[in-house]
Amino acid sequence: MKHILVANAKGGSGKTTLATNLAGYLASTSDKVMLADLDRQQSATQWLKRRPTEAPMIHTLQSAGKLTNTYDWMVTDSPAGLRDEKLADAVKDADIVIVPIQPSAFDIGAAADFLDVLHQEKAIRKQKTFVALVGSRVNSRTHAAVGLAEFMDDTGFPVLAYLRNSQVYTAAAEQGLSIFDMRPSLVAQDIEQWSVLLDWIHNTHQE
Ligand SMILES: Nc1ncnc2c1ncn2[C@@H]1O[C@H](COP(=O)(O)OP(=O)(O)O)[C@@H](O)[C@H]1O
Ligand SMILES: [Mg+2]
């Protein structure tokens, strides 16, 4: 099983959007997928409850019980403010940490601190856990987007996607869907923005 943690100490950075869409994508590839939710707000769990029965199945940690090793993927959504011991444990458990970052000075400042902490985590230093960055709600050709790109490129972590600000994410979330479950003509441009990230997730950290 490959375990992907979606984390960023900042609230509203796009963690739940990333985690639910990633789980939806992986489920659409017919792999067995589990979505774990460490956030007390339980947004990912609520999303799963809204999910139509005809959409590709995503399991919860509860329904999986002790059989977690029969899954191909586990995606963990995490709360804002994840730090110290809890962050270290979550990072150690994961093969991959994906950090979504929005293009604003506040988000970049918070992300800089969070990425410094990640750089110091033992599992990451020893390359047992790999980190990737994703620009979240990025409208290209804006000043803010350029600032975010410069910041992310300087961190030393791979930058694997820029996801535009798009109503399809809000519409999908309301219906318990990912963009990968929606009519292709509606989401073609958005799905294209995921391709490098999805390739990397499949290929990185193969034993
Ligand atoms: N790419 C996007 N386009 C449009 N809205 C987005 C996008 N990413 C996130 N959002 C919206 O931004 C808000 C915060 O995102 P969310 O995923 O809940 O962040 P977090 O889990 O980090 O708090 C939500 O209302 C979500 O629907
Ligand atoms: Mg969230």
Side-chain angles (χ1 to χ4, degrees), residues 6-204:
V6 181
N8 185 337
K10 184 120 179 7
S13 56
K15 294 180 290 296
T16 303
T17 301
L18 194 64
T20 52
N21 279 281
L22 193 52
Y25 163 75
L26 293 168
S28 76
T29 65
S30 85
D31 289 339
K32 272 190 91 178
V33 180
M34 184 162 55
L35 180 59
D37 191 355
L38 299 180
D39 192 348
R40 267 191 300 174
Q41 287 178 5
Q42 296 280 288
S43 312
T45 305
Q46 296 301 331
W47 173 82
L48 212 44
K49 286 186 180 153
R50 291 193 292 277
R51 192 161 174 78
T53 45
E54 60 274 17
M57 178 82 178
I58 298 169
H59 301 261
T60 60
L61 196 51
Q62 290 87 338
S63 68
K66 289 186 186 133
L67 299 169
T68 55
N69 54 356
T70 67
Y71 288 82
D72 301 304
W73 299 92
M74 175 154 131
V75 178
T76 298
D77 188 22
S78 67
L82 185 66
R83 57 189 159 90
D84 302 335
E85 203 94 315
K86 281 190 177 161
L87 175 63
D89 285 347
V91 166
K92 198 166 64 165
D93 266 1
D95 301 297
I96 292 172
V97 183
I98 303 178
V99 183
I101 308 173
Q102 287 200 36
S104 83
F106 299 132
D107 288 86
I108 288 172
D113 293 339
F114 185 67
L115 295 179
D116 280 347
V117 174
L118 286 187
H119 267 302
Q120 289 159 33
E121 291 294 339
K122 196 170 163 194
I124 292 166
R125 279 193 283 118
K126 298 203 151 181
Q127 303 213 317
K128 293 196 166 119
T129 305
F130 292 87
V131 176
L133 310 184
V134 169
S136 161
R137 305 183 83 166
V138 182
N139 293 324
S140 57
R141 295 187 295 274
T142 59
H143 181 69
V146 173
L148 177 65
E150 284 172 359
F151 164 72
M152 293 204 293
D153 288 341
D154 276 354
T155 62
F157 292 125
V159 180
L160 298 183
Y162 286 95
L163 307 179
R164 67 176 179 150
N165 193 63
S166 168
Q167 288 303 311
V168 296
Y169 289 104
T170 12
E174 280 167 11
Q175 302 169 69
L177 296 175
S178 73
I179 61 166
F180 303 94
D181 304 308
M182 295 175 86
R183 195 147 37 90
S185 59
L186 281 178
V187 292
Q189 188 181 346
D190 299 285
I191 284 181
E192 170 62 28
Q193 296 182 327
W194 282 73
S195 62
V196 173
L197 173 66
L198 297 177
D199 283 349
W200 183 84
I201 283 170
H202 279 291
N203 295 323
T204 196

